[in-house]
Amino acid sequence: SSSFASACCLHRPVSRTTQVASLKSLTEDIERGVREQNTMLDGMGSSFGGAGELLHKTMDRLGLMLQSGGSRHLWYLAAFVVFIFLCIWFFTS
């Protein structure tokens, strides 16, 4: 019984050391993944910010164009939108 207890005690520290090492490796992998995701999200945020700014500028230009008395421009815009819609519909069907 004494030899069994000493054998268990010898295996327990190695087992705990192995467990600690694997937990440390796991936490390092999680940390690396979180850092990569944060970098990706930061990049997406700046991309969406740029797209939002572009859309805002486009809407400002459209408003300016409509204020300059261009009902003809409105018809051109409507025709363009219909044309794009028809092209997308034609290529998808």
Side-chain angles (χ1 to χ4, degrees):
S1 173
S2 173
S3 66
F4 177 74
S6 64
C8 285
C9 290
L10 289 175
H11 289 293
R12 189 174 293 157
V14 172
S15 174
R16 285 190 182 149
T17 303
T18 304
Q19 289 176 348
V20 168
S22 66
L23 284 175
K24 182 179 178 184
S25 174
L26 178 64
T27 56
E28 288 171 348
D29 289 343
I30 291 171
E31 179 185 11
R32 191 175 310 112
V34 168
R35 288 183 191 275
E36 289 172 359
Q37 290 175 3
N38 283 339
T39 303
M40 180 185 69
L41 288 174
D42 288 342
M44 287 177 60
S46 64
S47 296
F48 284 131
E53 184 180 336
L54 180 65
L55 182 59
H56 182 69
K57 287 180 181 179
T58 302
M59 293 304 293
D60 287 344
R61 289 178 186 161
L62 182 60
L64 183 64
M65 180 183 70
L66 291 176
Q67 285 178 355
S68 68
S71 64
R72 182 182 65 184
H73 296 292
L74 184 61
W75 286 110
Y76 287 147
L77 178 64
F80 178 73
V81 169
V82 169
F83 174 74
I84 294 298
F85 176 75
L86 290 175
C87 286
I88 292 172
W89 178 68
F90 176 75
F91 287 121
T92 57
S93 59

